[in-house]
Structures are given as C-alpha cells and as structure tokens.
Amino acid sequence: MTVMSPILFLALFFTGVAGLWWLSRQIVREANSDRTARPLSEGGLEFAADQRAFLAMYIFLGVFAVIGVGGTISALISHASLLFPLVCLGFTLLLLRVLPGTIVLSAEGLEQRFWLAKVTRIGWSQVREIAVRHEKGLVTIRSKSGTKIQHTRQLPDRTRLLAELEARCPDKMPRPVEIHSETRTVMVPPPPPPPSAPTA
C-alpha cells in the first residue's frame, strides 16, 4: 500500500482550502453594477444572484455533501465517530441559506424565494416600512404582519428596486431617498388601473 508523502498531502490540503475560499468569495460577491433586473413575461421583475454565484454554491455544497455522506457511511461501517461528517452535513444545510433569496416584483407585490424556506410574500398594501442602508447595500421591506424581504448586495439592480418602491410605496420610503454611487436613472411606469366593473 502506497503512503502519500507529507509534502503532497500538504499541497493537496492547501489547494483544497484555497479552492473552497475562492468559491466562498464567489458566493458572497457583490452583484456586477451593470446587471439589471430580469423582466418577466407576465410583466414583473426578477432580482436574482448571478450564475457564477449559483455555480460556486453548487460546487461548494457538493464538496461538503460528499464529505458528509461519505464520512457518515464510513463511520457507520467502522464504528468511528459521526461528529465530523454530521458537522459537514449540517454545514451543507446552512450553506443553502447563504445565497440570498431571489426577489420577484409584480403588480400584486413582492415575493422572495429561498432554497430551503417557504416563499415570503408582501402585498403592496401590506408594506409597513422600507429601510435603506447604503453602506451595507441593503434594502429591507417589512410588512404590517412583520414579514421581511431583503435585497442584499449580492442581488442586482438596487437602483431599479428603489425606483419601483418609490413609485408604489412613496409614503413608506425613507426621506430623502439617495442612491449613492449610482448614476443610472430609471423611469417606472405607473401601475395599471384596476379593472372596471362589467356593465350590465
């Protein structure tokens, strides 16, 4: 049986650590400033992390899932400790919440879709307050019932989101609304009028 040399082991170990660190940076990286919200066929807008972040998340999850599942099977066969593989599996589940949920804006309101959580919805009439923290690239929308939707720096087109919120919920926006270091101007069309009642 060939034994791996310590130098080769250390080289592989540090390469793996560096690779995981690089993947983690891709997952939490700020959205490119030139990315805009994606128009949907039904007239809404989608604010989602870019494909590089999703791909990095898939690889990151795959590594820890393989370690966790493989380590669990190996521990059960050899009667070794399950602590390390279970920590890897728990970390895998935790990572599923790292990537911010995709926000979808429609005529009815906002919703945020996560990997391992139910969809969060806030109707326009239910918006209680909107907080904007420019230094953290964070926009938080809270409903009257306490529901929260957050647009983080990993999601694109904060300018368009703020313009939509200003058009639909002007009385809930902080004053004054300033969009620092962003020069793009967005014209938001007014929401469509409610359908008229059918005539007899």
Side-chain angles (χ1 to χ4, degrees):
M1 181 176 178
T2 304
V3 179
M4 183 182 299
S5 70
I7 295 177
L8 179 59
F9 173 80
L10 288 175
L12 291 175
F13 175 79
F14 285 111
T15 300
V17 170
L20 290 174
W21 179 85
W22 183 82
L23 288 172
S24 69
R25 294 299 88 201
Q26 302 310 303
I27 293 170
V28 300
R29 68 194 294 268
E30 187 169 357
N32 294 335
S33 59
D34 59 344
R35 282 190 66 226
T36 59
R38 185 172 73 88
L40 301 176
S41 57
E42 58 271 20
L45 292 170
E46 181 186 75
F47 302 82
D50 63 21
Q51 292 303 310
R52 181 185 298 182
F54 279 114
L55 180 60
M57 175 65 81
Y58 295 146
I59 298 173
F60 209 90
L61 287 172
V63 169
F64 279 93
V66 167
I67 294 174
V69 173
T72 300
I73 295 173
S74 176
L76 291 174
I77 294 174
S78 61
H79 303 288
S81 173
L82 287 169
L83 180 60
F84 179 71
L86 289 180
V87 167
C88 287
L89 289 175
F91 190 54
T92 302
L93 296 176
L94 181 64
L95 284 174
L96 290 172
R97 297 298 305 273
V98 171
L99 204 61
T102 297
I103 295 176
V104 175
L105 183 150
S106 67
E108 291 74 35
L110 296 159
E111 67 178 37
Q112 192 160 27
R113 304 166 181 170
F114 297 94
W115 285 31
L116 282 184
K118 65 179 182 179
V119 176
T120 302
R121 293 185 176 90
I122 300 178
W124 293 120
S125 62
Q126 295 300 309
V127 175
R128 177 171 60 88
E129 68 173 350
I130 298 167
V132 182
R133 300 183 64 182
H134 297 288
E135 71 281 2
K136 292 190 174 182
L138 187 65
V139 179
T140 304
I141 303 102
R142 290 185 174 87
S143 73
K144 297 174 183 177
S145 63
T147 303
K148 180 174 68 174
I149 288 177
Q150 285 191 321
H151 181 284
T152 67
R153 62 189 181 88
Q154 292 113 300
L155 300 179
D157 214 346
R158 182 161 53 111
T159 303
R160 179 60 184 271
L161 178 66
L162 289 174
E164 292 281 350
L165 294 173
E166 176 70 21
R168 298 170 187 270
C169 309
D171 57 324
K172 304 298 190 299
M173 295 291 287
R175 298 294 180 194
V177 177
E178 298 176 357
I179 306 176
H180 300 294
S181 70
E182 299 182 32
T183 58
R184 188 167 63 89
T185 301
V186 176
M187 298 298 295
V188 178
S196 58
T199 58

